Amino acid sequence: MSAEGAEPGPGSGPGPGPLCPEHGQALSWFCGSERRPVCAACAGLGGRCRGHRICRAEERAEELRNKIVDQCERLQLQSAAITKYVADVLPGKNQRAVSMASAARELVIQRLSLVRSLCESEEQRLLEQVHGEEERAHQSILTQRVHWAEALQKLDTIRTGLVDMLTHLDDLQLIQKEQEVFERTEEAEGILDPQESEMLNFNEKCTRSPLLTQLWATAVLGSLSGTEDVRIDERTVSPFLQLSDDRKTLTFSTKKSKACADGPERFDHWPNALAATSFQNGLHAWMSPNMQNVNFHKVNIPMQPARRPRKRTTSRTLHSLSTSSHLPPKR
C-alpha cells in the first residue's frame, strides 16, 4: 500500500463526525486516487483503497488551507493591481480618450471645411465657366443672326436689281449691263451657304473637373447610391459560364455546358458575356458582376456596339479593367 504517514489502524483519527457508509467508522483518512475521505478500514490492507495514495484527513485539510491562503494572497494582489489600474490608469485613459476625440473632431471639421471650401470654389469656377460658355454660344448665335440678316438683305437687293433689269431693260440695254450682271452674280455667289459650326453649340467640356469627378466617384463607391443596376444578358453567356437567377453572378466551369442553345449573340469560344445595359454618354458607375471559381477576370468597355466574335479575335475598340486575387497562371 502506498500511504503517506503512519499506516491507519482501526479507530485512528479525529473524533466523531461523518461515518463511512460501508464500515461505520470515522472518515479520518483521504484517498488521493479517488479524491474523497475514507475510513481506516477502507485505507487498510484489505480495504477498497489499498494501494492508493492515502494521507490523513487533517493533513489534506491543512494542505487545502495552505492553498486557500495562497489563493487569497494572489486574489489580494490581483485586487490591488486592479485598484491601482482603476485609480491610476483609467483616469489617464479617459483623459487621453477625451483629448483624442477632441483632436479627431477638429481634424474632421478641418478636413470637411477644406473639402467644403474646395467644393465651393470649384462650384463657383465651374458655374462661371458654364455661364461664360453660355454667353459665348449666345454671342456666336447673335453674330450669326446679324451676319445672315445682312446676307439676306444683300441677296434680296441683288435679286431685286436683277429682276428690275429683266423687267425694265430692252435687249441693247441688257447687253450693256452685262458687266454689272456679272458683278452682282459674283457678289451673290460670294455669300456662302450656312454651315454647321461647333462655335454655335454649348461645349459640355467646360464642366469637366478632375476634382468633381473624383469626389463624385468616391461618393458613389462609398454609398453605392447612384450606381447602375447592370445585369448580364443571358443570350450572350458563354457555355463555360453559368448565370445566376438574378443575372448578377457568373460561375466559371472548365466543362462546356450543353444546356446553352447556340445563337448569334452567344460567345462560343471565350468565357465572355455582355451586359444587358448600354450607356451612350455621361458618367456612369456600376458594380462589377460577381465571378466565382476564377482568380482573374476583365471588364471590357467597348467604344462601339460590341458584337459576339465566333472565332478567336482581338478587338482594338475595348478598354479593359482587370481585377484578380493573384496573377493568372502562365500558359
Side-chain angles (χ1 to χ4, degrees), residues 32-89:
S33 300
E34 298 185 4
R35 309 296 297 174
R36 67 184 184 90
V38 295
C39 67
C42 292
L45 293 178
R48 59 180 296 177
C49 294
R50 179 182 178 184
H52 292 180
R53 292 182 291 107
I54 303 297
C55 66
R56 293 185 179 277
E58 59 268 22
E59 294 177 358
R60 176 59 181 169
E62 184 63 23
E63 180 182 351
L64 291 178
R65 289 189 183 93
N66 293 333
K67 289 184 178 181
I68 292 174
V69 171
D70 293 341
Q71 184 63 34
C72 289
E73 291 178 353
R74 285 194 293 270
L75 293 177
Q76 185 175 2
L77 292 175
Q78 185 178 6
S79 298
I82 293 175
T83 301
K84 179 177 177 59
Y85 178 81
V86 172
D88 299 341
V89 178

Side-chain angles (χ1 to χ4, degrees), residues 195-214:
Q195 300 291 331
E196 177 61 31
S197 173
E198 290 296 330
M199 296 298 294
L200 302 177
N201 299 329
F202 180 86
N203 186 6
E204 295 181 348
K205 294 181 179 180
C206 68
T207 61
R208 289 186 178 179
S209 167
L211 174 62
L212 183 60
T213 301
Q214 292 175 9

Side-chain angles (χ1 to χ4, degrees), residues 1-19:
M1 174 175 68
S2 173
E4 300 177 4
E7 183 175 331
S12 61
L19 302 179

